[in-house]
Amino acid sequence: MPETPEQKARREIDANLESAGWCVQNRDDADLTAGRGIAVREFQMKSGFGFADYLLYLDRKALGAVEAKPGGTLTGVEAQSAKYAAGLPDKLPAHKRPLPFLFESNGSVIFSTSGLDPTPRSRQIFNFPRPETLSEWIAQPAQLRARLKTLPPLDEGRLWTVQARAIHNLEESFRRADPRALIQMATGSGKTFTAVNVVYRLLKFAAAKRILFLVDRGNLARQTEDEFANFEPPDDPRKFPALYTVQRLKSNSINPAAKVVITTIQRLYSMLKGDIEFDPGNEEGSAFDSARPWQGEPPDVVYSPGIPPEFFDFIVVDECHRSIYELWSQVLLYFDAFLIGLTATPAGKTIGFFNQNLVMQYGHDEAVTDGVNVDFDVYRIRTRVTEQGATIDAGGAGVYVDKRHKLTRRERLEFLSQDLTYTANQLDRDVVSESQLRTVLEQFRDKVLPDAFAGRNEVPKTLIFAKDDSHADDIVRIAREVFHEGNEFCQKITYRTGFTKITKKVTNEDGTESEVVEWVKTSNLTPDEILSNFRNSFFPRIAVTVDMISTGTDVKPIECVFFLRNVKSAGFFEQMKGRGVRVISPDKLRSVTPSARVKDRFIIVDAIGVCEQDKTDSCTLNRRPGASLEDVLNYVAQGGTDPEALVTLAGRLARLQRDFSANQLAELRTLAGGRSFPDLAHGLLNACDPDAQREAAMQQLAITAEPSAEQLHAAAESLAQDAVTPFLKAAFRRRILEIRQQNEQTIDRHTIDEVLYSGFDAAAVDKARAKLQDFRSWIEEHKDELTALQVLYAGTRPLKLSLKELRQLRDALALPPLGATPVQLWRAYQAVDADKVRRAGGNVLTDLVSLVRRALVPSSALVPYPEELLERYNAWLTERAATEKFTPEQREWLDRMAAHISTSLTITQDDFEDGWFGQHGSISHAHRLFGDKLLPLIEELNERLAA
């Protein structure tokens, strides 16, 4: 006879209680010595209070009750369980009256209410707390939610204003007992440092038992560990690890003494499954950065006695916008803990997951205003082949074209008898147009760099995003040719392939330090180690990457982010742009880019139209048959067992079986633990076959009757887990993709590309135009307040201005609402009206004269003031040459005097005591050189040049 809904609920509740360490007993068979935690069924309460479905005993004293319901919603049931709280017979022992811990369950869902909380509120939990957990809670003088209401004032001495604000807002959320909170802080604003401050306060002042810091890749775990290791509390001279044990998981075992546990969500899921070991390769690389994650059914999470839901009080989720957290959100929801999300780029679904409780919102625009980030301009390069593709004309007799293996790079000739037309989407994947890459890179060299980085002696640190490894190889080779540079100038940097040069400092026997150069495989390095040279050395100037785009791979000296690949995900695109926003001090910037003065912006070079296309919050492949092999492998690597994904993977393996050589298949069989491609494909299909699932269930349970739906589901899960096990090894997945890349590309060396447009994009021009309009309005508004503006408005010559008055003007310009520097204004004129701007400017104080004059007379050319003064000086020399000839030494002194006026607007006798003049004899030597003519010359130069 089939069980009733009530029987089913009671059976499941019994199982949940027993898995959590409770001994479930009938009332008539009750034995309170059977364990610490006893759950007694159908316990009679005092008169008028009925029977409690389960009365919970801890150490022979009652402390809670469970109300069981046969399916359906549990809303409103709290009143019934609350009745049991007061209904314990008066003569029975209890830890506290009324009973503090109340639960409602229908077998599938459990709700919990703690009467010890300041405001008791029902919340859903994964399973009942263990008896030892309730023992700890009942012994506490104040519960966690009560302690969160009494956190002491924050010491803001070492915090930025934005960090302090985030902590204040988060702690206010704690006081409200909000279960989830989201902090959005721009890249570079110190999210992790802010989180460490929060963790310290929760451990010290809220007596949190244990806190989890969750990341999605190994290098972020290491960086987080370093942040804790270096953290110095404001109220204790010792560093964080001396006060609280911090453990970054390197195995599937948690130190019982650890107060902070740092791990990846991949490893955490493995531990919840009960895995003894976990492949560290699954914590590295870019498998979880994909802008196109598979969105099939995620794997189930089951109760783990070793890591019960109440194991952590708080979980900090770093980079919580990423697809892996959406896919595995049930891993987070397993825990009965406060969730704190950290992100710089929240998507709508991220905000939704955190209950729209966005306690801190600090975006890029605010960060730029505060000097935490630098702004950017977009420089657009359009070419015909990039946008339209091309046709290789075979002609009447045919033509030979080059074919190339993507991986080995081996080329051969193939006869083309018919025209070959390729589209823009096929570019760099099926067909390589060397002319297209060369044309784009030549525009970068000849147009972008002179326009955006005028006066530089070296290429600014540039990060180029390529479509794949083969595309990156082509970019590296052609970039070196275009710039006529060697191998160190441009290098490919990826997680997966190749070697990189690492420079290490070693201490010699005599105590001196020297540098040792090593070449090591990038697969053995963390991203920070791979990027060390790019970050800290002069070379490489250009790095080409496919996959190093996530947070944690920042290189502060980057001044140019170059897109040669498209991106459709808004969050992914923001991450890629974020590589350029980091602020760096002028000294550190000049240590790798000597001719740079300051990093006050970065340039996005868009050679693909990525900035012009609409973006989505996420670009998913939810059950789309067009998913790439890499997408499907990544999904399975994340623990996914959606049937369509497994069937898709089986089909791909069948095709690869025909494409791969016998040696390659043998190599892959070894990596797969002895399973061949047909074996793997068969296992994947069996996992999705209802007949195979039924047969497996009957064999596993040794039954002949028809399996139940639950038994079939368990068998299907077992088959799926067995089928995907080889694919959980990063080395196996990586090798499949590497071998598959040996398909051929056509190389188009016939079509010559042409530039359609090269210049700042429309948005950058509009932004610059608005800035200049604000500048003109600001001048008009303040013309009677500042002496410099009064003089320039009057138009009198020579200028009767001092450097002090120009400094006052510069400082006033920098204040809100205009907030502009001379360099920024000069660049704005370059973007809006490049034909009338002669070279870069704004770098010397006197360039303000040229900027204000251009604003007052828009039709005039914009020329750096020193250059304009040099023209007047040369004209003056020509005039004097007709009546007077200067000696070489006199000419050198006159040149120096003119140069001084170009940056100071005037020269006086006192100026001859300092600088170059002071080092060459000062005013007394000038008198010996020019005699009585010195003072008239000084006066004449001031009159003629400072115009």
Side-chain angles (χ1 to χ4, degrees):
M1 187 174 181
E3 61 183 357
T4 65
E6 183 172 357
Q7 290 172 330
K8 179 176 181 291
R10 293 297 182 100
R11 175 174 56 79
E12 292 177 343
I13 293 172
D14 285 358
N16 288 332
L17 284 165
E18 289 170 352
S19 67
W22 295 89
C23 297
V24 182
Q25 302 174 349
N26 291 323
R27 180 183 55 186
D28 295 339
D29 300 323
D31 177 6
L32 299 186
T33 68
R36 290 196 70 188
I38 308 295
V40 181
R41 300 188 188 97
E42 297 297 335
F43 192 95
Q44 184 171 3
M45 309 302 278
K46 62 185 178 183
S47 178
F49 288 84
F51 288 81
D53 293 323
Y54 298 83
L55 184 68
L56 302 181
Y57 275 88
L58 174 70
D59 298 332
R60 307 184 188 185
K61 293 182 181 180
L63 87 167
V66 180
E67 171 70 6
K69 289 296 177 184
T73 178
L74 294 174
T75 303
V77 181
E78 298 97 336
Q80 182 64 40
S81 52
K83 181 179 178 183
Y84 299 146
L88 185 71
D90 296 336
K91 295 184 178 180
L92 292 182
H95 286 274
K96 191 176 181 64
R97 292 176 184 266
L99 299 178
F101 300 115
L102 304 176
F103 305 91
E104 303 87 40
S105 178
N106 59 17
S108 300
V109 177
I110 303 171
F111 279 85
S112 168
T113 303
S114 172
L116 302 179
D117 286 342
T119 305
R121 181 192 304 162
S122 176
R123 66 181 184 273
Q124 186 173 343
I125 57 177
F126 190 89
N127 200 3
F128 297 99
R130 300 184 67 80
E132 56 267 30
T133 300
L134 294 186
S135 176
E136 292 176 9
W137 290 352
I138 197 70
Q140 294 172 353
Q143 298 296 294
L144 176 62
R145 285 163 177 76
R147 301 194 297 269
L148 289 173
K149 285 181 172 290
T150 60
L151 292 173
L154 176 66
D155 183 344
E156 301 182 15
R158 301 180 186 178
L159 298 169
W160 291 350
T161 301
V162 60
Q163 295 166 345
R165 193 163 84 237
I167 296 173
H168 280 301
N169 294 349
L170 178 61
E171 292 184 353
E172 180 59 35
S173 178
F174 290 155
R175 281 188 280 273
R176 298 192 301 266
D178 294 328
R180 307 180 197 176
L182 179 60
I183 294 175
Q184 182 221 343
M185 291 173 63
T187 299
S189 57
K191 291 188 295 296
T192 307
F193 179 72
T194 300
V196 174
N197 275 274
V198 170
V199 169
Y200 174 74
R201 287 173 58 78
L202 291 174
L203 290 172
K204 180 166 185 176
F205 302 118
K209 178 180 180 181
R210 193 180 292 110
I211 298 175
L212 174 65
F213 203 109
L214 201 59
V215 299
D216 74 335
R217 64 191 315 157
N219 75 303
L220 291 181
R222 289 186 288 273
Q223 290 186 10
T224 302
E225 183 181 32
D226 290 343
E227 193 78 55
F228 276 101
N230 295 321
F231 180 77
E232 297 179 354
D235 55 358
D236 196 301
R238 294 168 292 176
K239 291 193 174 182
F240 193 104
L243 299 167
Y244 303 105
T245 300
V246 178
Q247 182 187 19
R248 175 171 65 85
L249 296 186
K250 302 173 186 177
S251 65
N252 283 11
S253 176
I254 297 177
N255 178 358
K259 304 299 286 184
V260 177
V261 177
I262 305 168
T263 190
T264 62
I265 193 169
Q266 301 93 290
R267 183 179 291 279
L268 179 63
Y269 175 65
S270 169
M271 295 169 68
L272 291 179
K273 289 195 302 179
D275 294 343
I276 303 301
E277 296 180 351
F278 182 71
D279 183 357
N282 287 325
E283 298 182 288
E284 304 296 344
S286 59
F288 302 100
D289 273 332
S290 172
R292 303 175 296 160
W294 187 281
Q295 294 293 301
E297 182 180 352
D300 289 334
V301 173
V302 296
Y303 182 80
S304 172
I307 311 176
E310 66 271 18
F311 195 73
F312 298 106
D313 285 340
F314 297 86
I315 300 178
V316 181
V317 187
D318 195 20
E319 303 300 330
C320 61
H321 61 276
R322 297 208 230 216
S323 61
I324 186 171
Y325 294 116
E326 178 189 13
L327 182 67
W328 281 354
S329 60
Q330 76 276 15
V331 176
L332 299 177
L333 298 180
Y334 170 84
F335 292 100
D336 181 24
F338 288 92
L339 297 183
I340 306 164
L342 305 178
T343 182
T345 55
K349 61 194 175 192
T350 310
I351 297 173
F353 178 82
F354 284 91
N355 299 336
Q356 299 180 349
N357 187 25
L358 189 59
V359 298
M360 183 64 191
Q361 193 168 10
Y362 184 72
H364 173 71
D365 291 345
E366 278 187 278
V368 170
T369 301
D370 292 345
V372 175
N373 284 178
V374 295
D375 204 357
F376 65 91
D377 287 321
V378 178
Y379 202 102
R380 183 73 165 92
I381 299 175
R382 296 173 52 223
T383 76
R384 189 171 302 282
V385 172
T386 307
E387 297 188 359
Q388 302 171 12
T391 297
I392 301 176
D393 187 0
V399 67
Y400 281 95
V401 296
D402 296 288
K403 291 279 188 175
R404 182 181 69 192
H405 280 278
K406 278 188 176 180
L407 191 63
T408 67
R409 316 295 288 175
R410 179 176 57 83
E411 294 187 19
R412 65 179 180 85
L413 286 176
E414 182 177 280
F415 186 73
L416 187 68
S417 59
Q418 295 181 335
D419 292 353
L420 174 63
T421 298
Y422 57 90
T423 66
N425 288 335
Q426 293 175 284
L427 194 62
D428 302 311
R429 301 194 190 278
D430 300 326
V431 180
V432 174
S433 171
E434 292 195 346
S435 176
Q436 181 260 350
L437 286 176
R438 195 176 302 277
T439 299
V440 168
L441 290 169
E442 286 174 348
Q443 284 296 302
F444 177 58
R445 179 194 66 193
D446 299 336
K447 283 282 291 176
V448 179
L449 297 183
D451 286 354
F453 300 98
R456 292 291 183 89
N457 299 326
E458 63 280 308
V459 176
K461 289 281 186 176
T462 299
L463 182 64
I464 299 180
F465 288 111
K467 296 174 183 176
D468 54 32
D469 280 336
S470 179
H471 188 215
D473 287 341
D474 290 325
I475 295 169
V476 169
R477 175 175 56 83
I478 295 175
R480 291 169 179 171
E481 294 172 0
V482 166
F483 283 91
H484 314 294
E485 294 282 358
N487 294 345
E488 284 190 323
F489 174 78
C490 180
Q491 295 179 8
K492 182 175 77 170
I493 300 180
T494 73
Y495 289 110
R496 298 189 294 268
T497 60
F499 290 77
T500 189
K501 186 179 76 174
I502 296 296
T503 303
K504 297 182 177 179
K505 287 189 175 181
V506 297
T507 302
N508 303 315
E509 293 181 358
D510 60 1
T512 61
E513 285 190 343
S514 59
E515 291 186 344
V516 175
V517 174
E518 297 178 2
W519 286 88
V520 293
K521 286 184 177 180
T522 57
S523 58
N524 296 335
L525 297 175
T526 66
D528 268 349
E529 290 171 325
I530 297 171
L531 288 171
S532 177
N533 274 6
F534 192 41
R535 182 185 294 113
N536 302 318
S537 303
F538 183 81
F539 286 118
R541 302 310 304 169
I542 298 175
V544 184
T545 186
V546 178
D547 48 9
M548 298 193 74
I549 59 177
S550 72
T551 300
T553 57
D554 295 300
V555 180
K556 292 182 179 180
I558 288 177
E559 295 183 88
C560 193
V561 176
F562 198 149
F563 284 92
L564 278 168
R565 62 169 289 187
N566 200 4
V567 183
K568 293 183 179 178
S569 162
F572 205 47
F573 181 56
E574 290 300 320
Q575 275 192 289
M576 296 167 85
K577 286 197 309 184
R579 300 316 97 219
V581 303
R582 292 280 191 172
V583 174
I584 185 172
S585 69
D587 289 342
K588 290 184 178 179
L589 177 61
R590 284 193 291 270
S591 70
V592 293
T593 306
S595 64
R597 295 184 67 257
V598 65
K599 180 180 176 181
D600 57 2
R601 60 142 184 193
F602 72 99
I603 293 292
I604 292 177
V605 180
D606 182 3
I608 209 76
V610 66
C611 296
E612 300 166 1
Q613 298 178 4
D614 292 336
K615 306 288 187 298
T616 60
D617 278 344
S618 62
C619 183
T620 65
L621 289 178
N622 189 11
R623 306 193 178 194
R624 185 157 46 156
S628 71
L629 175 64
E630 185 173 6
D631 293 323
V632 183
L633 286 173
N634 284 346
Y635 167 73
V636 173
Q638 297 171 4
T641 56
D642 177 71
E644 189 167 343
L646 302 190
V647 172
T648 300
L649 183 54
R652 301 296 171 81
L653 293 179
R655 291 202 295 271
L656 294 178
Q657 169 76 20
R658 296 189 294 270
D659 295 339
F660 288 3
S661 70
N663 289 338
Q664 291 167 342
L665 290 170
E667 177 191 355
L668 290 170
R669 182 170 184 163
T670 300
L671 290 173
R675 299 193 206 183
S676 66
F677 267 24
D679 294 338
L680 293 168
H682 183 71
L684 292 166
L685 292 175
N686 268 356
C688 307
D689 183 353
D691 290 335
Q693 294 168 359
R694 176 177 174 274
E695 183 179 344
M698 295 175 69
Q699 289 180 353
Q700 291 169 5
L701 299 169
I703 60 176
T704 57
E706 192 68 24
S708 67
E710 290 179 354
Q711 292 168 337
L712 286 172
H713 179 77
E717 177 64 18
S718 176
L719 288 173
Q721 291 299 329
D722 179 68
V724 301
T725 295
F727 299 97
L728 300 180
K729 299 294 183 182
F732 180 54
R733 300 193 308 272
R734 187 180 300 123
R735 189 61 184 140
I736 291 176
L737 294 173
E738 288 174 351
I739 294 175
R740 181 176 175 271
Q741 283 183 332
Q742 294 180 17
N743 61 307
E744 291 183 318
Q745 297 174 307
T746 299
I747 302 178
D748 180 7
R749 294 189 172 118
H750 297 255
T751 305
I752 303 302
D753 202 4
E754 58 180 304
V755 177
L756 299 179
Y757 174 77
S758 179
F760 288 104
D761 78 339
V765 173
D766 290 343
K767 184 167 66 173
R769 188 174 286 112
K771 175 69 76 175
L772 295 178
Q773 180 57 49
D774 292 342
F775 177 46
R776 287 190 286 269
S777 300
W778 186 90
I779 291 174
E780 180 65 27
E781 182 180 348
H782 295 85
K783 64 182 180 181
D784 297 326
E785 301 171 10
L786 296 167
T787 302
L789 290 182
Q790 293 173 354
V791 172
L792 291 169
Y793 250 94
T796 56
R797 300 185 187 229
L799 282 175
K800 299 299 182 182
L801 274 178
S802 67
L803 287 182
K804 178 182 178 180
E805 290 161 344
L806 279 183
R807 290 191 191 99
Q808 290 174 343
L809 174 59
R810 178 198 62 194
D811 294 344
L813 285 169
L815 296 174
L818 186 60
T821 67
V823 171
Q824 291 170 341
L825 292 171
W826 202 282
R827 288 174 181 164
Y829 277 116
Q830 284 180 304
V832 171
D833 200 359
D835 292 340
K836 291 186 177 181
V837 180
R838 192 190 303 174
R839 281 180 284 284
N843 296 313
V844 297
L845 193 58
T846 51
D847 279 343
L848 273 173
V849 174
S850 301
L851 285 167
V852 174
R853 284 176 174 168
R854 173 58 198 268
L856 298 178
V857 186
S859 60
S860 62
L862 182 60
V863 182
Y865 188 81
E867 191 171 318
E868 187 180 339
L869 185 140
L870 180 61
E871 292 176 357
R872 291 194 290 270
Y873 173 59
N874 287 332
W876 177 81
L877 285 174
T878 302
E879 292 178 17
R880 293 298 297 258
T883 59
E884 186 173 0
K885 185 176 182 179
F886 295 112
T887 67
E889 188 179 7
Q890 287 176 325
R891 176 61 188 272
E892 183 181 12
W893 276 71
L894 288 171
D895 290 347
R896 294 286 182 172
M897 292 162 68
H900 184 88
I901 296 172
S902 73
T903 58
S904 303
L905 293 178
T906 185
I907 188 167
T908 67
Q909 294 186 61
D910 291 340
D911 295 325
F912 285 84
E913 303 302 323
D914 301 317
W916 184 90
F917 299 110
Q919 295 169 3
H920 290 76
S922 67
I923 190 67
S924 59
H925 188 69
H927 275 296
R928 286 195 294 272
L929 270 180
F930 296 101
D932 295 339
K933 297 180 181 179
L934 176 61
L935 297 183
L937 274 173
I938 292 175
E939 185 176 353
E940 185 175 351
L941 286 173
N942 283 328
E943 292 285 333
R944 292 289 300 272
L945 303 188

